[in-house]
Amino acid sequence: MTSDIFCQIIAGELATAEVWRDDTVVAFLDHRPVFKGHVLVCPTRHVETLPDLPDDLVVPLFAAARSIAAVMGVAVGAEGTFVAINNVVSQSVPHLHVHVVPRSKGDGLRGFFWPRTRYADGEEAAYAARIRDALARPATEAIR
């Protein structure tokens, strides 16, 4: 057995309803969908989180997610999509995967899945500065 359920799916050890596969990316239906047609897109190589994603997999992964999102209207009658990635927190499988969820007006899904908050006066600029400063550091320092 391999390390996680997605690696098992990729290796052909577990059956799934695949919608796309090439050498670098596999996409399959989520077995517990938010809405029918909910697809998970993941690299065939084991990668745990988005910051771990090697540069050579960025384009193939997001190109596949984009293509799947683009056909949701024709495929399942969706008016749009919700595309999301969880990193560590709420990541049910420790293998990077992009959720492509079909959406329609009035489907009952409201905004994001978590409570929203507000910045205190002056706090927003401070957070923006902290993120800009972190992005300016060498990549090895910025990740994690």
Side-chain angles (χ1 to χ4, degrees):
M1 289 286 249
T2 47
S3 62
D4 65 62
I5 194 167
F6 291 172
C7 284
Q8 293 170 32
I9 288 169
I10 292 161
E13 297 169 6
L14 290 175
T16 190
E18 277 189 19
V19 300
W20 172 261
R21 180 186 280 263
D22 64 17
D23 293 339
T24 57
V25 176
V26 64
F28 48 90
L29 293 181
D30 190 314
H31 77 284
R32 291 180 42 215
V34 174
F35 298 114
K36 292 176 183 176
H38 178 168
V39 174
L40 303 177
V41 185
C42 59
T44 56
R45 192 179 329 159
H46 182 80
V47 175
E48 286 197 16
T49 65
L50 184 59
D52 300 326
L53 186 65
D55 289 345
D56 66 315
L57 293 179
V58 171
V59 170
L61 180 68
F62 287 99
R66 178 182 63 192
S67 294
I68 292 164
V71 300
M72 281 295 184
V74 171
V76 300
E79 296 175 46
T81 57
F82 176 74
V83 179
I85 297 173
N86 291 307
N87 283 299
V88 182
V89 176
S90 296
Q91 186 178 5
S92 58
V93 177
H95 189 123
L96 177 64
H97 53 286
V98 179
H99 295 260
V100 181
V101 180
R103 296 289 316 273
S104 293
K105 290 180 180 154
D107 62 16
L109 194 60
R110 299 271 186 245
F112 293 104
F113 302 115
W114 53 83
R116 304 296 288 263
T117 189
R118 293 186 185 277
Y119 291 101
D121 286 341
E123 194 177 36
E124 189 171 11
Y127 270 81
R130 288 166 54 184
I131 294 168
R132 278 193 306 274
D133 291 347
L135 287 169
R137 294 183 195 136
T140 54
E141 283 183 45
I143 295 176
R144 292 190 190 208

